[in-house]
Amino acid sequence: MFLILRRGFATNSSLLCSSEKIVVPPLKMKINKSKVPKIREKDLEEKYITGWGPGGQAVNKTLNAVYLRHVPSGVWIKCHESRSLDRNRKTARKMLIEKLDLKINGEDSVQRQEERLASHKRNLKREKTRLKYEERRKEKENQSETDQENSSNKEDNLEYIPEDN
């Protein structure tokens, strides 16, 4: 089902469009997550390594960073987003799933679907803004034409009356 916008008809967002027909494909709001790979624990190689970055000597000495490798595919992740080992393990697994999904599914991955959806929404917003300003410009032109016609009509109605001396 496609939505066709015409001038004078308001849509749900109360947008009045120009006289041209614009075909807007329906937004696919749901992201297909059925192809996301499932990770089995026996396919993972997990190591705890010392942290890095700001935080002083304590961060660099403790084993709170995670190195996670998916053995069948060879994809690996290093994660040190927090000082907590448990949080880093969970985050590393999420990051590994996203990376595997991107590698296996490519354009059908969840990340690419979200990017396409965001791009589509941005384009719709741009088009809506463009149409709004185009409509304002047309109204302004029509108003100036009407003002010019009114001023010319007033000039036509004026009569020259000679003075009697």
Side-chain angles (χ1 to χ4, degrees), residues 72-100:
S73 66
V75 176
W76 59 273
I77 290 287
K78 281 185 182 177
C79 179
H80 183 241
E81 290 189 358
S82 73
R83 294 176 69 175
S84 167
L85 181 63
D86 289 333
R87 273 194 235 140
N88 286 333
R89 289 182 70 209
K90 289 176 185 176
T91 306
R93 279 171 172 65
K94 288 178 185 176
M95 291 168 63
L96 184 68
I97 289 171
E98 289 174 3
K99 197 169 183 179
L100 270 174

Side-chain angles (χ1 to χ4, degrees), residues 39-102:
I39 295 180
R40 296 180 300 193
E41 286 297 318
K42 67 179 184 177
D43 292 340
L44 296 179
E45 176 187 321
E46 186 174 35
K47 294 179 186 175
Y48 306 118
I49 54 179
T50 58
W52 57 85
Q57 196 173 10
V59 170
N60 299 330
K61 283 183 175 180
T62 57
L63 299 174
N64 57 6
V66 178
Y67 172 84
L68 196 59
R69 182 170 164 250
H70 187 249
V71 177
S73 66
V75 176
W76 59 273
I77 290 287
K78 281 185 182 177
C79 179
H80 183 241
E81 290 189 358
S82 73
R83 294 176 69 175
S84 167
L85 181 63
D86 289 333
R87 273 194 235 140
N88 286 333
R89 289 182 70 209
K90 289 176 185 176
T91 306
R93 279 171 172 65
K94 288 178 185 176
M95 291 168 63
L96 184 68
I97 289 171
E98 289 174 3
K99 197 169 183 179
L100 270 174
D101 184 34
L102 190 60

Side-chain angles (χ1 to χ4, degrees), residues 132-143:
K132 178 178 81 172
Y133 285 110
E134 183 179 318
E135 189 69 27
R136 284 184 184 176
R137 183 185 53 81
K138 286 181 181 180
E139 287 176 5
K140 193 173 183 180
E141 286 175 359
N142 290 340
Q143 184 66 30

